[in-house]
Amino acid sequence: MTQNTELFIAILPWVIFIVLALLAKFLINTAKKRKGLAVALGMMAQMFLPDPQVEKTIEIIAMEKGSKKEKGGQREKGKG
């Protein structure tokens, strides 16, 4: 390998890190200003990036809904 190629390979991770940091800063600023671009990109990320704990999240939501229904049923019985 030539010296230029070795230098490029050594610098590449830092360049990627800086580009991603600038992209994150841009997205954070647009989200603070409530721009549609940030909302659209957030929705796209939610659709296409997998959630590794999706089953656990579904179970938690189902348990919370069940406990809310039970509390609501107990309140109605107590009022009657």
Side-chain angles (χ1 to χ4, degrees), residues 13-78:
W14 290 103
V15 171
I16 292 171
F17 174 75
I18 291 170
V19 168
L20 289 176
L22 291 173
L23 179 65
K25 181 160 178 55
F26 171 74
L27 289 175
I28 289 169
N29 287 339
T30 55
K32 284 182 180 179
K33 294 176 185 174
R34 307 239 182 212
K35 299 283 182 173
L37 175 67
V39 174
L41 288 175
M43 289 172 54
M44 296 289 282
Q46 282 294 112
M47 286 192 318
F48 294 117
L49 295 176
D51 183 8
Q53 297 183 350
V54 71
E55 292 176 10
K56 185 177 178 181
T57 305
I58 291 171
E59 289 176 8
I60 291 171
I61 292 171
M63 287 178 14
E64 287 176 359
K65 285 185 178 180
S67 65
K68 285 182 182 178
K69 286 182 180 179
E70 288 176 6
K71 288 180 183 177
Q74 291 174 355
R75 289 180 187 161
E76 290 175 8
K77 289 178 183 177

